Amino acid sequence: MKKISVKTSRPYEVLIERGALAKSGEYIAQVTGSRKAAIITDDNVERLHLPTVLESMRAAGFECSVYAFPNGEQSKCIENLAEIYDFLCSSGITRSDIIVALGGGVVGDITGFAAASYLRGVDFVQIPTTLLAQVDSSVGGKTAIDIRGGKNLVGAFKQPALVICDSDALKTLPDEVLSEGMGECIKYGMIRDEKLFELMESHNLDTVDEIMDEMVYKCIDIKRQVVENDEFDRGERMILNFGHTLGHALEGWHNYKDYAHGAGVAAGMCMITDKLAPQLSERLKKCCAAYKLPTGSDIPMSELLPFCSKDKKNEKKDINYIICKEVGKCEIVKVPFTEFCRLMEG
Ligand code: GLY
């Protein structure tokens, strides 16, 4: 087993181990004195992984109640959050019990927010079952729901009590879901670690399982460093948004339907690199293509840029973008939005 200790305001460990789902009860028992748990998941993960987790939790002495909602981004909404509160209340969950988020980013984000707000905060454990959730959303304490005004607009920082990553769980993922997680992994290589990038360059979507544990470990360790330095997203954490400005614009242009976040990140990284660091462009695109990720977009820049200006992370009329001029090194650049448009359209 590999272990990463995250030293945030509430310290916790990330465990990376094949077969960890079957030991989740034993691991969760080490971070809570309670033996009462509420497991929140979606209908896909319920079918694939809930029986393993339930068996392990019960063997460790937990009394468990389960709430499973329809999979998909549309469930990350206030109505579903209200259902979760009702479920926690009717299950008799108290502040000393434990909530378990079993699933991908949607499950982790909404469960984390429920855990942050129900009874003013209940401990929760993340068991991420997608690559994207393992390397990004389950670590670092960002929790949120979507509202009509936009994605992730209501949320809280709430660090989990434990994160359990089982690479074997990723074997059930459809190719396109694994591929979108690779968008975030490639991002970590680009912003911080050329060796990690080389590891990914030497594999592809069919062989990635061979490097999965090492890759997941390195990605999470980069996220750990960044989050420890800037837990509340006031500066350095912004580097995790490499590729995201144009990526979010692509997702927005597609109305957040049928265009995966990780695909947007890949296309966004390639597009900004094409314009501002063309010497790296071919290398980055080759790596993205090996994982069946998009390397750009046919949508005219003039149609995408208006979606960038709505990015909630931008301050007033300035925009912060992230650029890598060498693999493994990045910088945050703040420019007026009009200047960003000029650079991208040039
Ligand atoms: N997903 C970016 C962050 O955690 O800051």
Side-chain angles (χ1 to χ4, degrees):
M1 184 213 289
K2 288 178 190 284
K3 227 185 241 190
I4 295 176
S5 298
V6 185
K7 294 184 186 63
T8 38
S9 51
R10 191 242 201 266
Y12 56 100
E13 285 186 334
V14 181
L15 311 181
I16 303 162
E17 182 185 36
R18 289 194 186 257
L21 253 52
K23 297 187 194 161
S24 49
E26 182 190 318
Y27 296 144
I28 295 169
Q30 289 166 22
V31 297
T32 176
S34 166
R35 288 297 174 266
K36 193 171 165 70
I39 303 177
I40 299 175
T41 188
D42 71 27
D43 51 357
N44 267 342
V45 181
E46 176 184 33
R47 188 171 41 82
L48 293 168
H49 302 301
L50 180 67
T52 308
V53 171
L54 262 184
E55 190 183 331
S56 170
M57 296 281 291
R58 287 182 177 144
F62 283 96
E63 177 203 324
C64 300
S65 41
V66 177
Y67 173 74
F69 56 76
N71 70 85
E73 188 72 28
Q74 75 286 346
S75 287
K76 217 172 101 177
C77 60
I78 200 138
E79 293 78 11
N80 193 29
L81 181 68
E83 295 286 338
I84 292 174
Y85 290 142
D86 287 345
F87 155 73
L88 294 172
C89 192
S90 62
S91 304
I93 292 296
T94 68
R95 288 187 67 190
S96 50
D97 297 325
I98 191 98
I99 297 174
V100 178
L102 173 66
V106 168
V107 170
D109 282 5
I110 193 167
T111 303
F113 187 55
S117 48
Y118 186 68
L119 303 180
R120 298 190 187 87
V122 179
D123 278 355
F124 85 115
V125 172
Q126 290 269 20
I127 309 184
T129 56
T130 64
L131 179 58
L132 193 136
Q134 290 193 354
V135 298
D136 184 29
S137 52
S138 68
V139 178
K142 281 190 180 174
T143 72
I145 58 164
D146 305 334
I147 58 170
R148 276 192 286 274
K151 276 182 69 171
N152 295 326
L153 289 190
V154 174
F157 286 97
K158 165 88 176 164
Q159 302 295 343
L162 177 71
V163 182
I164 302 172
C165 298
D166 180 350
S167 307
D168 280 347
L170 308 181
K171 287 183 177 161
T172 56
L173 294 179
D175 266 8
E176 62 277 14
V177 180
L178 190 61
S179 172
E180 85 146 326
M182 285 306 303
E184 293 285 354
C185 296
I186 294 170
K187 173 200 80 180
Y188 285 113
M190 286 293 291
I191 60 171
R192 268 287 163 86
D193 188 344
E194 184 165 20
K195 288 265 176 300
L196 168 62
F197 192 84
E198 283 167 2
L199 184 72
M200 294 182 285
E201 264 180 326
S202 63
H203 286 76
N204 59 46
L205 198 61
D206 296 328
T207 63
V208 69
D209 188 56
E210 292 166 16
I211 57 164
M212 194 60 85
D213 284 5
E214 185 180 357
M215 182 182 76
V216 167
Y217 177 88
K218 287 184 169 209
C219 292
I220 296 176
D221 202 45
I222 294 170
K223 180 138 194 193
R224 172 196 65 75
Q225 292 162 29
V226 173
V227 166
E228 282 180 356
N229 287 339
D230 181 21
E231 179 174 350
F232 298 106
D233 203 8
R234 297 197 172 106
E236 181 182 333
R237 192 161 176 167
M238 226 184 287
I239 68 171
L240 300 176
N241 284 337
F242 178 48
H244 283 57
T245 303
L246 289 166
H248 284 148
L250 282 162
E251 286 183 83
W253 192 92
H254 287 91
N255 216 8
Y256 294 98
K257 288 192 184 89
D258 306 320
Y259 198 89
H261 174 72
V265 171
M269 290 190 292
C270 292
M271 287 156 81
I272 201 159
T273 303
D274 261 347
K275 294 285 180 194
L276 303 180
Q279 70 281 8
L280 296 188
S281 199
E282 199 183 321
R283 192 172 171 199
L284 173 61
K285 284 182 176 175
K286 203 167 161 211
C287 189
C288 290
Y291 294 95
K292 300 197 167 82
L293 285 161
T295 57
S297 165
D298 292 335
I299 300 163
M301 199 53 90
S302 57
E303 288 185 31
L304 287 179
L305 287 168
F307 288 93
C308 295
S309 69
K310 283 192 204 140
D311 188 328
K312 69 182 190 304
K313 292 180 181 78
N314 297 333
E315 295 152 20
K316 299 192 186 113
K317 288 190 177 132
D318 283 338
I319 185 165
N320 290 299
Y321 69 81
I322 316 303
I323 185 67
C324 299
K325 293 194 175 145
E326 284 173 54
V327 174
K329 293 202 171 80
C330 66
E331 51 193 88
I332 303 169
V333 184
K334 185 170 185 160
V335 290
F337 182 62
T338 46
E339 171 67 5
F340 180 73
C341 294
R342 197 187 60 72
L343 291 170
M344 290 303 111
E345 283 179 317

